[in-house]
Amino acid sequence: MLEGIEIALIEQAKRDNAEFCRLLAEHQEYETQLDAYNDLRFITSEQEMERKRLQKLKLQGKDRMLELLRPYQAASLSVPDAR
Protein backbone atom coordinates (compact mmCIF):
# COMPACT_ATOMS: atom_id res chain seq x y z
CA MET A 1 0.00 0.00 0.00
CA LEU A 2 2.52 2.60 1.15
CA GLU A 3 5.63 0.85 -0.07
CA GLY A 4 8.92 2.34 0.97
CA ILE A 5 7.45 4.14 4.00
CA GLU A 6 8.62 3.07 7.43
CA ILE A 7 5.93 1.39 9.51
CA ALA A 8 6.83 3.61 12.49
CA LEU A 9 6.01 6.75 10.46
CA ILE A 10 2.67 5.32 9.38
CA GLU A 11 1.85 4.37 12.98
CA GLN A 12 2.78 7.85 14.20
CA ALA A 13 0.64 9.48 11.51
CA LYS A 14 -2.27 7.21 12.49
CA ARG A 15 -1.94 8.40 16.11
CA ASP A 16 -1.50 12.09 15.28
CA ASN A 17 -3.67 12.71 12.25
CA ALA A 18 -7.38 11.91 12.02
CA GLU A 19 -7.44 12.62 8.27
CA PHE A 20 -4.64 10.12 7.69
CA CYS A 21 -6.53 7.52 9.75
CA ARG A 22 -9.70 8.09 7.72
CA LEU A 23 -7.85 7.93 4.41
CA LEU A 24 -6.10 4.72 5.42
CA ALA A 25 -9.41 3.07 6.34
CA GLU A 26 -10.95 4.22 3.04
CA HIS A 27 -7.91 2.97 1.13
CA GLN A 28 -8.26 -0.46 2.68
CA GLU A 29 -12.01 -0.54 1.93
CA TYR A 30 -11.40 0.44 -1.71
CA GLU A 31 -8.81 -2.33 -1.94
CA THR A 32 -11.32 -4.87 -0.64
CA GLN A 33 -13.96 -3.70 -3.11
CA LEU A 34 -11.49 -3.75 -5.99
CA ASP A 35 -10.42 -7.27 -5.09
CA ALA A 36 -14.05 -8.36 -5.37
CA TYR A 37 -14.33 -6.83 -8.85
CA ASN A 38 -10.99 -8.31 -9.91
CA ASP A 39 -12.16 -11.78 -8.84
CA LEU A 40 -15.13 -11.65 -11.22
CA ARG A 41 -14.72 -13.72 -14.35
CA PHE A 42 -16.97 -11.41 -16.35
CA ILE A 43 -17.63 -7.77 -15.58
CA THR A 44 -20.45 -5.55 -16.83
CA SER A 45 -19.80 -2.06 -18.18
CA GLU A 46 -21.36 -0.62 -15.00
CA GLN A 47 -19.08 -2.74 -12.84
CA GLU A 48 -16.08 -1.68 -14.92
CA MET A 49 -17.01 2.00 -14.46
CA GLU A 50 -17.33 1.47 -10.70
CA ARG A 51 -14.01 -0.37 -10.62
CA LYS A 52 -12.31 2.54 -12.39
CA ARG A 53 -13.98 5.02 -10.02
CA LEU A 54 -12.71 3.07 -7.01
CA GLN A 55 -9.21 2.94 -8.49
CA LYS A 56 -9.21 6.73 -8.89
CA LEU A 57 -10.47 7.28 -5.35
CA LYS A 58 -7.87 4.88 -3.99
CA LEU A 59 -5.07 6.65 -5.87
CA GLN A 60 -6.26 10.10 -4.76
CA GLY A 61 -6.33 8.90 -1.17
CA LYS A 62 -2.87 7.40 -1.44
CA ASP A 63 -1.51 10.65 -2.90
CA ARG A 64 -3.02 12.60 0.01
CA MET A 65 -1.65 10.12 2.57
CA LEU A 66 1.82 10.54 1.07
CA GLU A 67 1.43 14.33 1.38
CA LEU A 68 0.46 13.94 5.02
CA LEU A 69 3.47 11.68 5.65
CA ARG A 70 6.03 14.14 4.25
CA PRO A 71 6.46 16.11 7.50
CA TYR A 72 6.96 12.85 9.42
CA GLN A 73 9.59 11.72 6.92
CA ALA A 74 11.37 15.08 7.09
CA ALA A 75 11.37 14.98 10.89
CA SER A 76 12.78 11.46 10.93
CA LEU A 77 15.58 12.49 8.60
CA SER A 78 16.52 15.50 10.72
CA VAL A 79 16.77 13.54 13.97
CA PRO A 80 20.43 12.67 14.66
CA ASP A 81 21.27 9.01 15.06
CA ALA A 82 21.56 8.20 18.79
CA ARG A 83 24.59 5.93 18.64
Side-chain angles (χ1 to χ4, degrees):
M1 172 188 44
L2 295 171
E3 295 82 20
I5 306 294
E6 290 182 37
I7 300 293
L9 295 179
I10 294 170
E11 291 301 320
Q12 185 178 357
K14 284 169 54 176
R15 285 190 306 271
D16 297 347
N17 191 308
E19 181 185 8
F20 184 87
C21 246
R22 178 185 57 80
L23 289 167
L24 186 60
E26 288 175 359
H27 188 84
Q28 292 167 338
E29 179 60 31
Y30 295 147
E31 184 67 30
T32 300
Q33 292 175 12
L34 285 166
D35 285 345
Y37 281 115
N38 292 335
D39 288 343
L40 296 175
R41 187 165 183 181
F42 299 103
I43 191 166
T44 66
S45 59
E46 291 83 12
Q47 289 170 324
E48 180 63 21
M49 286 183 354
E50 178 63 8
R51 189 178 72 81
K52 288 184 185 288
R53 185 185 76 82
L54 291 170
Q55 286 174 327
K56 288 178 186 177
L57 290 172
K58 183 179 163 199
L59 184 57
Q60 289 170 349
K62 182 177 179 178
D63 289 345
R64 179 63 181 142
M65 283 190 290
L66 290 173
E67 284 177 34
L68 293 171
L69 283 171
R70 279 194 193 108
Y72 294 96
Q73 289 174 307
S76 74
L77 294 175
S78 66
V79 174
D81 195 5
R83 286 188 209 174

